[in-house]
Amino acid sequence: MNAQASLIFKLVALAVLACVPLSGESFYVELISKMLVMAIFAMSLDLLVGFTGLVSFGHAAYFGIAAYAAALLSPKYDAGNLWLLLPGAVGLSALAAFVIGLFVLRTKGIYFIMVTLAFAQMAYFVFHDTPVGGGSDGIYLNVKPSAAIGGWEPFDLGNGTHQYYFILALMVLVYLLLRRVLQSPFGRVLVGIKSNEHRMQSMGYLTYRYKLGAFTLAGALGGVAGFLYAVLFGFVTPELLSWHESGNVLLMVILGGMGNLVGAVVGAFAFEGMRGVFESWTEHWQLLMGGVIVALVLFLPGGLSSLPGRIRRALQGGEAK
Amino acid sequence: MSAAKTNEVLLEARKLTRRFGGLVANQDISVTVARGVIHVLLGPNGAGKSTCINMLSGDLPPSEGTITFMGRDITGLSAAQRSRVGIGRSYQRTNIFPQFTVLENVRLAAQSRNQQPWRIFSKAMEQKWALDKAHACIEEAGLGKRADWVSGVLSHGEQRQLEIAMVLATDAQVLLLDEPLAGMGSDESAKMVELLKKLRATRGILLVEHDMDAVFAVADVITVMVNGQMLESGPPAQIRASVAVQQAYLGTEESFHV
């Protein structure tokens, strides 16, 4: 996709997304809200997998920690302050990612995958088997946080439409933030590490620190998604931290095409969309999903975001004959 | 760099030994690299040249011995830390960022001198000093016409030039070059030899090389290694006349047409 076509695609997609609440169908508003949350989650993982070359198989931990923080830090029968809860939850996810990153980033390749999984499982069992988070049943976030600043309330998260636009705005913000970061000297180093870490070291880059920065940032943004998830559905369970979720978000990134932020968004939408359709057909939806993913990896290894380029090349090839 | 005097010793390795289990890959190797001097490590395959250069660049810790850079002990420093003090290295097998343009390869090298990792909202392409530096080094390495090419599609010789440009962009005072001429055609080789002579003026160069013509064309000092040990070290004329060196190379006479 050339730059212009890509920009047009993004603007059209944004316009369509902005129109969703006009339908008045609360089912679709909630469904797309969830897709937007997952899109944030997938973009945060793509920073690691697609741009830094770190295949984390435990990214659900940071999603879940912020989701639990949203529920646990909120007053039980009263609305918490959004402007304190959101940074607090995201900060906790970032802190967890920083501390875990200190350890896991000492490993490489398959070991990195296994160690990130192991830490995520530890986090899962903290919430599953200790009284801190209500055990396997999870806990409710009874009252959605209030966006009031002083006496003024710019929007109300209890209103589905307001909530939708808040999530959409955050997704756009996360996209713009990551795009900007990737253009910065810091971001260029991450892409260099993915391409050839050894060479980066021999040019004087202390790559461990850069990877730790990326891991922390990805954890924080995964936390943004987890926080929004808790607000959207009003309850959290340990399953949010389970390895299934870590696998799902990895599949979203692969589906959309690694190393492409729009691809991560498209992957999240495609994954959640297919899940919805398959679930309505059969309870064995995962079987169908697995088939689709195998087919996609085989026939479209660059993911959905590589589709426009492929089509264009095919058309140009046809013209040349 | 006007104050830089030639023959100032930059890098000095004393009695480096490296063991891999029971195998002694390097034993008591002592080499110095001085400004204005091209020091060539010579030896048959398996002589331990790469082990030696790996110890100097920090890719491999020595089992024994010390390395100093401008008087400072750097034996314990990692490869990244050594790059920061002023030791640059190129690799025997081309080691670049093949998906990136030539400019981005060298720009990353230049950026390494002033990393500013916390500036995550500034644009890398707006850091003029790094871009200027990259362009200058690309020019110096003779790749001016290729700056916007994706480096993976360059010819082998051009990729070797790119490696030199990347080392230059890190302001390295000492260049450790592992077979920069390997696999090059004679035209490309000749160009590279000229480049090395030009770079020698302000820097110190340690070269591992097989191409005898090139070695004797550029070397100021030659150290011959055999079986992980130093056989002889001195100016080219001394090496040429050495009976020990000739004996060591008897089996591969045809490649040693002096």
Side-chain angles (χ1 to χ4, degrees), chain A residues 183 195-196 199 203 205 210, chain B residues 95 99 108 113 115 124:
Chain A
Q183 289 172 339
S195 172
N196 191 342
R199 194 68 175 99
M203 294 196 309
Y205 288 102
Y210 281 90
Chain B
N95 195 348
Q99 308 93 333
L108 267 178
R113 295 307 106 174
Q115 301 189 11

Side-chain angles (χ1 to χ4, degrees), chain B residues 1 17-18 20 23 31 36 47 78 88 102 115 150 178-179 195 237 251:
Chain B
M1 231 174 283
T17 295
R18 173 68 204 197
F20 295 102
L23 174 79
V31 288
S78 69
V102 167
Q115 301 189 11
V150 172
D178 199 350
E179 301 201 25
L195 177 60

Side-chain angles (χ1 to χ4, degrees), chain B residues 23-87:
Chain B
L23 174 79
V24 183
N26 266 202
Q27 187 166 21
D28 293 337
I29 306 295
S30 298
V31 288
T32 59
V33 184
R35 204 189 294 282
V37 172
I38 296 181
H39 188 148
V40 179
L41 275 185
L42 196 60
N45 284 327
K49 305 183 296 292
S50 287
T51 301
C52 180
I53 207 169
N54 280 337
M55 287 193 287
L56 295 176
S57 68
D59 285 293
L60 199 63
S63 309
E64 281 165 35
T66 57
I67 305 167
T68 56
F69 179 77
M70 297 177 95
R72 173 185 169 197
D73 189 335
I74 58 162
T75 315
L77 297 193
S78 69
Q81 289 165 325
R82 285 186 208 192
S83 164
R84 287 171 162 217
V85 301
I87 300 172

Side-chain angles (χ1 to χ4, degrees), chain B residues 131-144:
Chain B
L131 280 174
D132 289 348
K133 178 98 197 200
H135 278 298
C137 295
I138 290 169
E139 206 60 53
E140 192 170 8
L143 276 177

Side-chain angles (χ1 to χ4, degrees), chain A residues 77-152:
Chain A
Y77 302 109
D78 209 358
N81 183 337
L82 175 68
W83 310 114
L84 296 177
L85 281 175
L86 177 58
V90 170
L92 283 173
S93 277
L95 180 66
F98 177 80
V99 173
I100 291 173
L102 283 174
F103 296 99
V104 297
L105 290 168
R106 297 189 179 277
T107 64
K108 284 198 165 65
I110 186 83
Y111 300 101
F112 180 78
I113 297 176
M114 298 322 288
V115 181
T116 49
L117 172 63
F119 272 101
Q121 288 299 99
M122 280 163 61
Y124 170 83
F125 284 112
V126 166
F127 291 109
H128 189 274
D129 291 348
T130 67
V132 61
S136 61
D137 294 336
I139 45 170
Y140 285 92
L141 172 67
N142 293 313
V143 190
K144 296 198 182 194
S146 151
I149 308 167
W152 176 57

